[in-house]
Amino acid sequence: MRRFSKKSEPSGILYYGKKTLVSVALGVVFLFVLLCIFSFALDRGALSRGAISALMLTAVVMTGFAAGFVGAKLWKEKGLLAGAVTGLFLFVLLLFLGIIFGDGVFSSLILIRFLVLVTSSALGGVVGVNHHKRVRP
């Protein structure tokens, strides 16, 4: 008599890699929108020029959280890992874009931004995997 095994869930690097790349892409789009909003507010004089550093850190935190949240929702498990991996890939992408389009200067702020991005992404992943829609009877 043949025994049929339960249908296994897809797993592996390819399965989680696609979901991570989608969440990183959405994170980049979210960062672009945030930077456009902040740029518009700076241009209109609603924010001072001295606030640029704080705005950049705020954008990184919000982007990391959003990307980690989406990554965990797509993974549907392992929220901390999903968020951290998403944050790591997002950081590497932003670092390469900064090297290509920026002046290529490295500073100690890169390590701080890395830690902030990965931490906020991991937190977003934890919230994302534990966030459930409430169904009202």
Side-chain angles (χ1 to χ4, degrees):
M1 178 175 186
R2 290 176 72 178
R3 290 186 180 202
F4 294 101
S5 64
K6 290 183 179 179
K7 190 174 184 179
S8 63
E9 290 289 321
S11 62
I13 294 175
L14 212 66
Y15 177 73
Y16 290 115
K18 288 179 185 178
K19 294 178 184 277
T20 302
L21 290 178
V22 168
S23 61
V24 167
L26 290 174
V28 169
V29 170
F30 186 74
L31 180 62
F32 178 75
V33 170
L34 273 179
L35 291 180
C36 286
I37 291 169
F38 291 159
S39 175
F40 183 74
L42 281 170
D43 187 48
R44 295 289 174 213
L47 300 169
S48 67
R49 299 269 181 215
I52 291 175
S53 180
L55 288 175
M56 290 300 291
L57 190 60
T58 302
V60 166
V61 168
M62 292 174 70
T63 299
F65 187 86
F69 186 88
V70 170
K73 282 291 189 183
L74 292 175
W75 278 35
K76 297 179 183 171
E77 61 183 0
K78 303 175 187 171
L80 186 66
L81 181 64
V85 169
T86 300
L88 178 69
F89 279 108
L90 188 60
F91 176 78
V92 169
L93 177 67
L94 294 176
L95 182 66
F96 281 141
L97 290 175
I99 290 171
I100 292 170
F101 295 112
D103 53 1
V105 176
F106 292 100
S107 67
S108 62
L109 287 176
I110 290 176
L111 179 62
I112 293 170
R113 286 189 182 141
F114 168 73
L115 293 174
V116 166
L117 183 61
V118 172
T119 303
S120 64
S121 296
L123 181 63
V126 169
V127 172
V129 82
N130 291 316
H131 179 262
H132 302 287
K133 291 183 181 180
R134 291 183 183 157
V135 178
R136 295 188 181 195

